[in-house]
Structures are given as structure tokens and as C-alpha cells.
Amino acid sequence: FGSAVSGFGFIYNKPRLEQAGLPLPATWDDLAKPEFAGVIALADPTQSGSIAAVYEMIVQGEESWPQGWKKLLLILANAKQFYDGAGDAANAPLVGDALVAACIDFYGALRVEQAPDALVYVSPKGQTAFTPDPIAKLKNPPSSELADTFIQFVLSRQGQALLALPAGVENGPLRHALGRQPVRRDVYESYTSQLLPWIVNPYQAGNEMIIDSELQKVRFNVLRQLVRAAAIDNLDGLRKARTALADSGYPPEKMKAFIELPENVSTVSGIRNVAKQLGNQQDAEKIVTGWQIFFREKYQNINH
């Protein structure tokens, strides 16, 4: 059974953003803006499955694959640093290494609890896909009756309220907020004004985002390797290209070159073909090396 709901968004350090004269971001589009250059902590999608899901969600938030890639690439170009793990990236606004970090909601919740006066977590409205986190009973458990009782409690209104209420309030946890999104609709309806501030009702019109899960599965490894080639392996060139574009007023011809995709993944059908080829180690090495060269040369041309 679904026992809680997970989403992906970003966490930011409000006082430091205000100190830097930057607007408080509310959507992924905000993080793609040039003023956020060099202030975002991101993670390597080949090392973190949750951040790979974030990147896919950003892409699917647009009407087409090329448009989605454009938005994602502009966000990647604003990265201050890429971390191996999404948890490490989420720590960056907490310790002051970055002002914003993309992360899964419960990573954000844990950091917000540590610094509630400074940190804010956002599930971008209409740009966040919510998925259930399951609870299950093991086959032939030591105590089937106890397992059933526990599951029933977790799925009860009382158990669900514990997930989303602040610590110390009636029906809430005693010492520490759990910071999870309930799966039960009636908890959102009954505790509307009492829930933790960043909790979003996924059942409310306008909050939801529909993900093409079949395409997500096909594109999963392709997008991970593409991001690695475009941004992590070529981060210096990407930053310089973004700066050159900004300095020249984003001329259309250079902007077109900047967001151009390698020909073999410029369409969804091409992605499907490449996804199959990446299953072969020899083919995968050739493809990824080709992408690394493609992006390196493209950024160099924009910089000159």
C-alpha cells in the first residue's frame, strides 16, 4: 500500500538569497534564469537515482523533449558544484556552500528542521510529480497480527497526521517533525492550517504533474549519461558558454547552438534507439565519448 507521498523540488537559504539581492524561486523556470548562475548545488545523476528523477521531471515539465532539455541545460549551467549524492547537495544551503539545491522532499524536510528560520523547501506547483512510497508485510513474518496492526496504524488518520504535523502540537510527533507527505486525502482536509509549511496537497487541482512513466523508464540511463557529458564532464566550458551568451545578449543563432542536442538523441525515437545501445558496454563508451566531444566543441565555438 502507498503509505506516504514523495515529490521532488528544491531547498533554498532565504536570508542568503535576500542578502545577495536574488528573488525567492518558486519554479524550475526560476532556477534557469541567469541571475542564479553559480548558486545552485546539484548532484551527478550517474551516482544518484533521486537526482536523475529530478532531471527527468524538469524535462517532462515542458511540451517537447527539446524544450525540456533547454530548461534543464540552463539550470545545469547555473550549478556551483555537482556532488556525488543528492543528500550532499541538499546539505549545501544548510552549511552555506550554495544558496539553492535540488532534492527529494524528505531530504529537504530534514534540512529545514535543522534550520527552520533560514531554509525553505519548495515543491514547484504543477511541476512536481508525486509518487507513493509503499509499505508491505513480509511473507510469513514472525507475527502476522502485529505486522497487520502496524500497517493499519501507519495508514490510519492518526498515523498519517504524524507524518505532516509539526512536533509538539496535538496529534503531532512529540520531539521531531517527520516531514513526510500523507497519502490520505482526509488528513490534508482536516489539518489544512496546521500542516508543516512546505507540505503540498497533491490532490488539489493545479498541484499535480502527470509523468510519462514509460518514457521515463526508457530515457533514464540516456538522460543520466547525457547530463554527465553536457554538464559534469564539461562544466567549465558550459559555464563559459553561458557567460558568453549573457554578455552578448543571447543572440538567437548562438542560443540555438547552445541548446542543440547530439543528433542521435535529438528526438524521442532516437532516444529509444540509443537506450538499447547503451546496454552494450562497447557501444556505450563510444556514444558517451561522442557526446563529450560534441558538447566540448560546441561550447568552445560559442565562447569564440
Side-chain angles (χ1 to χ4, degrees), residues 58-234:
I58 292 170
V59 167
Q60 288 211 27
E62 295 299 311
E63 291 185 3
S64 69
W65 158 236
Q67 287 175 308
W69 172 252
K70 174 184 177 182
K71 182 162 72 175
L72 177 57
L73 186 63
L74 290 172
I75 293 172
L76 296 172
N78 284 340
K80 180 178 182 179
Q81 184 177 341
F82 283 91
Y83 295 80
D84 286 341
D88 293 332
N91 279 336
L94 177 65
V95 300
D97 289 342
L99 306 188
V100 186
C103 62
I104 193 167
D105 57 7
F106 57 84
Y107 283 175
L110 290 171
R111 276 66 179 182
V112 169
E113 189 187 10
Q114 290 178 263
D117 295 331
L119 299 182
V120 177
Y121 176 80
V122 177
S123 292
K125 191 170 183 178
Q127 297 182 331
T128 300
F130 295 99
T131 54
D133 287 348
I135 187 170
K137 182 171 72 170
L138 294 175
K139 185 177 181 180
N140 300 320
S143 174
S144 183
E145 183 181 354
L146 181 60
D148 288 342
T149 301
F150 179 69
I151 291 174
Q152 288 163 10
F153 172 74
V154 170
L155 299 180
S156 71
R157 184 170 159 180
Q158 181 187 2
Q160 292 278 295
L162 279 173
L163 297 177
L165 288 171
V169 304
E170 185 179 2
N171 297 322
L174 293 178
R175 290 183 293 275
H176 301 287
L178 300 179
R180 298 304 311 276
Q181 301 222 148
V183 75
R184 287 182 63 130
R185 292 173 184 260
D186 58 356
V187 173
Y188 294 100
E189 295 162 0
S190 301
Y191 298 96
T192 303
S193 61
Q194 299 171 260
L195 299 177
L196 292 160
W198 61 267
I199 295 287
V200 172
N201 184 351
Y203 302 110
Q204 188 175 340
N207 284 340
E208 77 283 356
M209 174 188 178
I210 306 301
I211 284 282
D212 184 334
S213 56
E214 188 273 336
L215 179 57
Q216 179 185 26
K217 184 178 179 181
V218 168
R219 188 161 52 198
F220 180 74
N221 195 34
V222 176
L223 188 59
R224 290 196 313 162
Q225 298 296 341
L226 195 62
V227 167
R228 172 113 203 161
I232 300 171
D233 295 337
N234 282 294

Side-chain angles (χ1 to χ4, degrees), residues 38-65:
V39 303
I40 303 175
L42 297 172
D44 181 348
T46 64
Q47 303 294 320
S48 167
S50 65
I51 205 69
V54 171
Y55 297 155
E56 176 66 28
M57 193 177 63
I58 292 170
V59 167
Q60 288 211 27
E62 295 299 311
E63 291 185 3
S64 69
W65 158 236

